[in-house]
Amino acid sequence: MSMVEESTAAKPGSGKTGAAASARRRLLDQDWRRLICAGAVLAVGQVFIALTGMPVTFDRRLLIDPILSLGYLALLWLPLVVGNWVGREQVLEGMAAYAKGGRDVVAGAMAGLLGNLGLALLVLGITHFDIRDPLVHWSPQLLGILEFDQSVWLGALVWPAIGTATGALGGAMHWMDDKIARTMVLALSTVFAVAVLESVIVDLSQGFHIEAVPDWLYGPKRGLTLAATAVIVAVAVAASAGFSWVRAASGRTAPQASAQPDAAGTGSSPTQKTWRRIPAQRLLGWAFAPAAIIVLPLFLGRLTNELLANVGLFILLALGLNIIVGLAGILDLGYVAFFAVGGYSVAVLTSPGSPRFDPEIPWFGALFAAMLLAGLAGLLIGAPVIRMRGDYLAVVTLGFGEIIRILLLSDWLSGTFNGAQGITNVPGVEVFGLATVRGFEPRSVLYLVLFFCAIAIYVSWRLENSRIGRAWMAIREDESVAEAMGVDTVSAKIMAFVTGAVLGSFSGAILSAKVGSVFPHSFAIIVSIVILVVVIFGGMGNIAGVVAGAVVLIGVLGGPNQPGLLQEFAEYKILIYGALLVWMMLQRPEGLIPSARRARELQANEVNQDAWLRAQPASRAADDAGGNRGRGRP
């Protein structure tokens, strides 16, 4: 085979035949315009990451001792992604699929080289020019990271080489066998997860009295040791192979039962049925998840239980917003209003320090009142805007969310809600006289949050498969068609607002008891934006996706006012939320764990485009035939 031409064979393991990928292209037969644009975008992105101070802030977190920190990883991941993107081609029906190979590796390497030349120029610019005034995040520590604490010219030469290598690796992933690529991604993700979850692993080891495990995993500077990294990679590879075998085994159907003669002895019984084996992954999930939820908090430390309790609060909020946005398709940007109604209702009814009303009723009685008030708020907010659609509805709900916050701050209602000083001295939750849930006991708070999360998940699941749930999804797909088919869109949309409001009030009620106080700044509009990002990132319309989105985003990055596992991200998490939202909308609009129905809706445009493309040759042939007949030709 020639060194300058790619093989005509299909990508191994991809299932493509040689006929489907028969076109040949040389290694330098590149889309130069796309490649240069990708390199320029990568260069701007790398310089932006460096000048925002992320490498300096993240460098405090060591991932692999002593070779990799989170600060260097912030400059390594983007060339890998861009190198993979450059080699990606969308093949529609009727288009030729080119063979993957060396051309994709060369494209990724060149994009990585061009992109990291921006870092090389930045190193030289910082060294030879005084840019401290316009670039406030410039620091000697940034220069030390960029030059590897050695010399300027070493950094200027090494960064382009690193970009070339990582970009080539990203391009080579198209050439690899699919199983190898998935295994490599799983191994890298597992190493990153174990490094990031250090505090959780340390907490678990202390709870189970196996302190030797984190001592072996992490070095003196609390990064993974090289030996531990090698073992984790080996375990990930073995687990990938095992999961592939289990998936293949669970996909097989059991043989049909032998036909039994019926009463007349003439054939099989009409009640005879075939059956399919339940996937082993699902059985393991059903058995493991409840046990883990009940048992693990007993062995976790205070910090981890506190973190999981915060995640649970956002799961409650996200489940409520998922009904409004994910099921009914109503873009609500003021959802924080229902969060505030739940928190302030419980605070006013339970706290002895409430300015005007201090009935000091039990927490569960106050929760019932909060649910009624939240439902009423959902009705009052939903009724005026129910006939609006699209951007108008989003802007109006955004305004209602701000109105609630401003009313809480206003002097007019300061006698009831105490203005900016909020309401303090909110008592804990008395659980039928058996126990008291207080904020300084994170484990009890976590169990309370998990209990209400289970209620919210069950309610969401039942509603999704009910008549009203089908009406919501019909409205989401096409409101005009749903109305023409007899769906009462007004009552269905109001019901979505009311149900989402009630679920959101759960989170506010628990927050007031957990913190012991409520303040208006806890219900800023950024909370609504973060919850919306969680729903979109996880997968709109899918309960498992919403839960996964909250665990990943809130657990790792943290909420607007809550810390996550990576506290180094506190300064940049809103920026990262925005970048993730843009990326999800462009690359995976259905979310991390999409709903099958929602994914079909979002992919309908691509299907229609493929159908249009298939129809073009026939349409042109018909036009040509008509023209020939008009000119008297056969």
Side-chain angles (χ1 to χ4, degrees):
M1 183 184 298
S2 172
M3 293 297 293
V4 295
E5 292 187 353
E6 298 181 10
S7 170
T8 60
K11 176 182 175 182
S14 62
K16 297 177 182 176
T17 63
S22 59
R24 295 185 180 185
R25 285 192 293 187
R26 298 176 182 274
L27 293 179
L28 298 181
D29 183 13
Q30 304 284 346
D31 185 351
W32 293 103
R33 180 178 179 180
R34 182 185 186 191
L35 196 152
I36 292 173
C37 288
V41 170
L42 175 58
V44 172
Q46 292 288 77
V47 172
F48 175 78
I49 290 174
L51 293 182
T52 53
M54 290 185 187
V56 176
T57 304
F58 297 167
D59 196 55
R60 296 192 293 267
R61 168 79 65 155
L62 194 60
L63 298 179
I64 301 177
D65 187 19
I67 61 175
L68 181 65
S69 69
L70 191 60
Y72 281 106
L73 183 63
L75 297 172
L76 291 176
W77 70 272
L78 197 54
L80 181 69
V81 172
V82 173
N84 183 268
W85 176 81
V86 168
R88 187 177 302 167
E89 294 178 326
Q90 185 177 12
V91 181
L92 301 177
E93 290 289 340
M95 295 178 59
Y98 292 97
K100 296 297 183 180
R103 176 186 177 274
D104 304 282
V105 178
V106 172
M110 296 183 72
L113 173 62
L114 293 175
N116 272 19
L117 282 176
L119 284 180
L121 295 176
L122 178 63
V123 172
L124 297 176
I126 290 177
T127 306
H128 295 90
F129 299 97
D130 185 10
I131 58 175
R132 186 65 177 266
D133 289 336
L135 302 177
V136 295
H137 284 282
W138 177 91
S139 65
Q141 291 82 5
L142 174 61
L143 181 60
I145 290 174
L146 293 179
E147 65 181 16
F148 303 98
D149 293 323
Q150 298 295 325
S151 66
V152 173
W153 290 106
L154 177 65
L157 294 175
V158 170
W159 280 113
I162 292 176
T164 303
T166 53
L169 178 60
M173 293 180 68
H174 295 289
W175 197 4
M176 297 178 184
D177 181 88
D178 288 340
K179 293 181 179 179
I180 296 176
R182 287 196 298 266
T183 301
M184 184 179 71
V185 171
L186 176 62
L188 294 176
S189 303
T190 305
V191 170
F192 178 77
V194 175
V196 168
L197 296 175
E198 177 187 347
S199 60
V200 176
I201 293 174
V202 170
D203 270 351
L204 280 172
S205 64
Q206 292 175 352
F208 286 100
H209 302 289
I210 48 174
E211 290 84 355
V213 172
D215 292 339
W216 178 80
L217 283 174
Y218 306 103
K221 298 181 180 179
R222 310 313 297 172
L224 285 173
T225 62
L226 293 177
T229 304
V231 171
I232 291 170
V233 170
V235 171
V237 171
S240 178
F243 287 148
S244 298
W245 180 84
V246 171
R247 189 181 299 112
S250 61
R252 304 190 191 104
T253 57
Q256 296 184 1
S258 59
Q260 300 293 333
D262 56 12
T266 58
S268 60
S269 170
T271 60
Q272 177 183 342
K273 296 181 180 180
T274 60
W275 58 277
R276 184 169 60 88
R277 186 181 303 169
I278 299 176
Q281 299 97 317
R282 187 176 301 177
L283 290 175
L284 290 175
W286 289 345
F288 178 75
I293 290 174
I294 296 174
V295 174
L296 277 182
L298 298 174
F299 298 93
L300 294 176
R302 293 179 57 87
L303 293 178
T304 307
N305 280 323
E306 176 74 18
L307 175 67
L308 293 177
N310 290 332
V311 171
L313 291 176
F314 276 88
I315 289 176
L316 278 173
L317 291 171
L319 288 170
L321 186 62
N322 182 58
I323 290 178
I324 301 175
V325 177
L327 294 183
I330 304 171
L331 184 55
D332 184 3
L333 296 181
Y335 187 72
V336 70
F338 309 131
F339 186 33
V341 169
Y344 266 90
S345 299
V346 169
V348 168
L349 295 175
T350 61
S351 173
S354 179
R356 180 170 297 176
F357 306 103
D358 53 349
E360 299 186 44
I361 65 177
W363 186 86
F364 281 98
L367 175 64
F368 182 74
M371 292 169 57
L372 294 177
L373 292 173
L376 180 62
L379 181 63
L380 293 177
I381 293 176
V385 303
I386 209 65
R387 295 193 180 276
M388 295 182 178
R389 301 183 186 180
D391 299 337
Y392 299 100
L393 178 61
V395 171
V396 172
T397 55
L398 176 67
F400 272 113
E402 280 296 280
I403 287 172
I404 295 295
R405 186 182 66 87
I406 292 172
L407 286 176
L408 295 175
L409 282 169
S410 66
D411 294 335
W412 178 46
L413 295 177
S414 61
T416 304
F417 301 117
N418 210 21
Q421 297 179 355
I423 299 177
T424 59
N425 200 22
V426 179
V429 180
E430 291 287 342
V431 184
F432 307 114
L434 301 177
T436 303
V437 178
R438 300 181 179 88
F440 55 84
E441 297 175 354
R443 183 179 294 119
S444 60
V445 175
L446 177 58
Y447 278 121
L448 181 67
V449 170
L450 290 175
F451 173 74
F452 281 96
C453 283
I455 294 176
I457 290 172
Y458 178 75
V459 170
S460 299
W461 173 65
R462 293 290 294 176
L463 287 175
E464 181 180 353
N465 296 280
S466 66
R467 182 182 181 88
I468 186 65
R470 292 191 294 271
W472 287 337
M473 288 183 279
I475 293 172
R476 180 188 67 194
E477 294 177 16
D478 195 316
E479 185 173 347
S480 299
V481 173
E483 190 170 6
M485 295 299 293
V487 176
D488 188 353
T489 57
V490 173
S491 61
K493 291 166 76 173
I494 290 179
M495 182 62 69
F497 267 105
V498 172
T499 307
V502 171
L503 293 183
S505 68
F506 289 169
S507 184
I510 297 173
L511 178 69
S512 64
K514 173 180 177 293
V515 180
S517 59
V518 287
F519 299 95
H521 67 80
S522 300
F523 309 103
I525 194 63
I526 190 61
V527 178
S528 292
I529 305 301
V530 170
I531 301 168
L532 182 62
V533 173
V534 168
V535 173
I536 293 174
F537 179 80
M540 289 189 294
N542 189 20
I543 297 173
V546 170
V547 173
V551 171
V552 173
L553 292 184
I554 307 302
V556 176
L557 299 178
N561 302 310
Q562 295 82 15
L565 282 175
L566 294 179
Q567 299 184 14
E568 295 83 2
F569 281 81
E571 185 178 351
Y572 307 100
K573 57 187 172 185
I574 303 302
L575 172 64
I576 297 172
Y577 280 139
L580 281 175
L581 186 59
V582 172
W583 182 83
M584 293 297 293
M585 290 293 95
L586 293 176
Q587 299 297 326
R588 194 177 174 85
E590 64 270 22
L592 190 66
I593 305 178
S595 167
R597 182 166 181 168
R598 182 63 174 166
R600 286 195 299 269
E601 293 174 26
L602 294 173
Q603 294 169 4
N605 290 335
E606 294 185 10
V607 174
N608 293 335
Q609 184 180 12
D610 290 353
W612 174 84
L613 185 62
R614 288 194 299 269
Q616 293 310 298
S619 177
R620 286 194 295 268
D623 292 342
D624 293 342
N628 291 335
R629 286 194 298 271
R631 290 190 291 271
R633 298 176 183 176

